[in-house]
Amino acid sequence: MTKIAAEPLAALRARTSAKWQTYPADVLPLFVAEMDFPLAVPVQQAIIERVLASDTGYIAGPEPVAAAFAGFAERSWGWAVDPGDVRTTTDASVAIVECLRQAVPVDGSVIITPPVYPPFYELPPEADASVVEVPLLLTGTGWQLDLPELEKAFARGADALLLCSPHNPLGLIHSADSLRVVAELSAKYGVAVISDEIHAPLAYMPGAFTPYLSVSANAREYGICVTAASKAWNIAGTKCALMVAQSDRTRLQLDSMPEEVAARTSILGLHATKAAYDDGAPWLAGVLESLDANRRLLGELLAAELPEAVYRPPAAGYLAWLDLRGLGWGDDPAAVALEQGRVALESGLKFGRRGAGFARLNFACSPEVLTEAVDRLARVRAGRQAK
């Protein structure tokens, strides 16, 4: 395994993505979910080959990437996926909206579990549905789904659950047992489950992640998996997401979508995603080694320089959910971090009301950048204490 190193700041600042163009050059951008690593060579080559062949038209179908994902799912999680059950579209958000349009009636309701990825508040209304919040529980052993409250929401007539698995921003991997209970409740009340599993390849412990559709026949009957290679291989801009259905009910939902849903898939994204699933595992292993070191380094830095910050290392992904209420930086500590420390974090307020006093930090960067970011925040803390 070859550890993958982040690119130097000079190279990163030449990128034109939002991460590197949103703020001035004196700001360290640790907000949006984009990594600072170079692309996997197989992914680079796949894109370059299509461009050199002038192959930049519309996709002919999902078959190449469907077979690649099926192989990856079997190797990674022991999940058997028929490539014929895989469809594609442009990105995970579009996939979620289109799945909700099929599974939820107009003026229906969709459950989300805050604190959660900010677009989850916007995607159900885009599908003409309202949002019902069932917050996660924080217990002595960590975060978890509030299964009794979920059942109450199901019984009150919710039409769907939008599940974030692994959960952003917490890096929480839902247990197989809790997912089985969700599936049982889904079948009991006839509630659709759309499981966003975009961060699944970024689990740190092998075997820790369980695909929702793999847990039971109940899960497969009412559930659809939405996923992509975009987070794990850093290719969000190539625009290809997958939807997986494994029952007659959910296959019909995917097949009932307008043809344009699939046609929006980028041919470059399709081939980049295929390369990631087929040949990107060594690169991913090297990136995970770097990320694992960074999530531990972050804990050490915070303990030494910002002891008031509460940090639980994520089980998956490269996003840290920081409880900064102990610093006295108000409801939006990310605003203080940016204004006084020149560090861009994602505001916890975007993740729901329970995000007040919190911020999300992206540690998919070099150890040097991460160290400098925490040093800057510590200087803000020291300056405020001196006052």
Side-chain angles (χ1 to χ4, degrees), residues 170-257:
L170 307 175
L172 167 67
I173 295 177
H174 303 299
S175 71
D177 287 342
S178 65
L179 293 178
R180 273 189 283 271
V181 173
V182 169
E184 291 170 5
L185 296 174
S186 165
K188 178 179 178 180
Y189 294 99
V191 175
V193 177
I194 311 302
S195 184
D196 177 352
E197 301 182 0
I198 201 168
H199 292 272
L202 292 164
Y204 292 101
M205 291 293 293
F209 173 76
T210 303
Y212 178 71
L213 297 185
S214 73
V215 300
S216 68
N218 286 333
R220 291 185 288 276
E221 179 63 25
Y222 289 92
I224 295 175
C225 167
V226 169
T227 191
S230 55
K231 296 304 179 191
W233 283 272
N234 211 40
I235 54 173
T238 65
K239 294 299 179 184
C240 177
L242 282 61
M243 299 170 285
V244 184
Q246 294 189 302
S247 72
D248 290 343
R249 176 194 305 271
T250 53
R251 290 186 193 102
L252 178 61
Q253 290 172 349
L254 295 191
D255 290 340
S256 298
M257 292 179 181

Side-chain angles (χ1 to χ4, degrees), residues 91-103 119 122-128 162 194 226 243 257:
D91 59 38
S93 291
V94 169
I96 289 168
V97 170
E98 297 299 337
C99 288
L100 291 176
R101 283 179 173 147
Q102 295 299 321
E122 302 169 358
L123 301 178
E126 189 175 340
D128 297 315
L162 182 47
I194 311 302
V226 169
M243 299 170 285
M257 292 179 181

Side-chain angles (χ1 to χ4, degrees), residues 46-369:
I47 295 172
I48 292 168
E49 287 172 3
R50 291 305 92 211
V51 172
L52 291 177
S54 299
D55 187 15
T56 54
Y58 297 107
I59 67 163
E63 289 78 15
V65 76
F69 176 74
F72 181 79
E74 177 63 39
R75 294 190 301 273
S76 301
W77 309 302
W79 178 27
V81 175
D82 183 337
D85 286 340
V86 179
R87 305 288 186 273
T88 66
T89 190
T90 180
D91 59 38
S93 291
V94 169
I96 289 168
V97 170
E98 297 299 337
C99 288
L100 291 176
R101 283 179 173 147
Q102 295 299 321
V104 177
V106 172
D107 296 329
S109 60
V110 178
I111 297 168
I112 64 172
T113 55
V116 72
Y117 180 52
F120 275 29
Y121 291 91
E122 302 169 358
L123 301 178
E126 189 175 340
D128 297 315
S130 60
V131 169
V132 175
E133 297 186 28
V134 178
L136 294 174
L137 280 177
L138 179 57
T139 69
T141 57
W143 295 90
Q144 63 186 46
L145 293 167
D146 190 337
L147 296 172
E149 289 300 317
L150 277 178
E151 179 166 18
K152 291 178 184 177
F154 285 10
R156 286 193 295 265
D159 297 288
L161 165 65
L162 182 47
L163 184 68
C164 200
S165 180
H167 191 96
N168 174 5
L170 307 175
L172 167 67
I173 295 177
H174 303 299
S175 71
D177 287 342
S178 65
L179 293 178
R180 273 189 283 271
V181 173
V182 169
E184 291 170 5
L185 296 174
S186 165
K188 178 179 178 180
Y189 294 99
V191 175
V193 177
I194 311 302
S195 184
D196 177 352
E197 301 182 0
I198 201 168
H199 292 272
L202 292 164
Y204 292 101
M205 291 293 293
F209 173 76
T210 303
Y212 178 71
L213 297 185
S214 73
V215 300
S216 68
N218 286 333
R220 291 185 288 276
E221 179 63 25
Y222 289 92
I224 295 175
C225 167
V226 169
T227 191
S230 55
K231 296 304 179 191
W233 283 272
N234 211 40
I235 54 173
T238 65
K239 294 299 179 184
C240 177
L242 282 61
M243 299 170 285
V244 184
Q246 294 189 302
S247 72
D248 290 343
R249 176 194 305 271
T250 53
R251 290 186 193 102
L252 178 61
Q253 290 172 349
L254 295 191
D255 290 340
S256 298
M257 292 179 181
E259 290 183 10
E260 275 300 309
V261 173
R264 293 174 188 143
T265 309
S266 164
I267 196 168
L268 297 181
L270 183 142
H271 288 282
T273 301
K274 178 183 185 302
Y277 288 139
D278 277 343
D279 303 310
W283 179 92
L284 181 61
V287 163
L288 279 169
E289 185 177 344
S290 294
L291 294 176
D292 188 27
N294 274 4
R295 69 173 179 152
R296 298 174 191 276
L297 173 62
L298 178 59
E300 295 166 3
L301 292 169
L302 292 173
E305 300 191 55
L306 284 174
E308 297 91 345
V310 178
Y311 162 62
R312 293 176 173 82
Y318 47 84
L319 305 170
W321 186 238
L322 304 180
D323 181 350
L324 302 179
R325 290 175 293 181
L327 291 171
W329 292 4
D331 286 349
D332 191 9
V336 176
L338 178 60
E339 180 181 349
Q340 300 182 30
R342 309 309 284 164
V343 177
L345 307 176
E346 198 74 6
S347 172
L349 296 175
K350 294 182 178 181
F351 298 83
R353 290 168 294 173
R354 288 162 183 81
F358 289 74
R360 192 188 73 178
L361 181 150
N362 175 352
F363 57 82
C365 55
S366 69
E368 293 77 16
V369 167

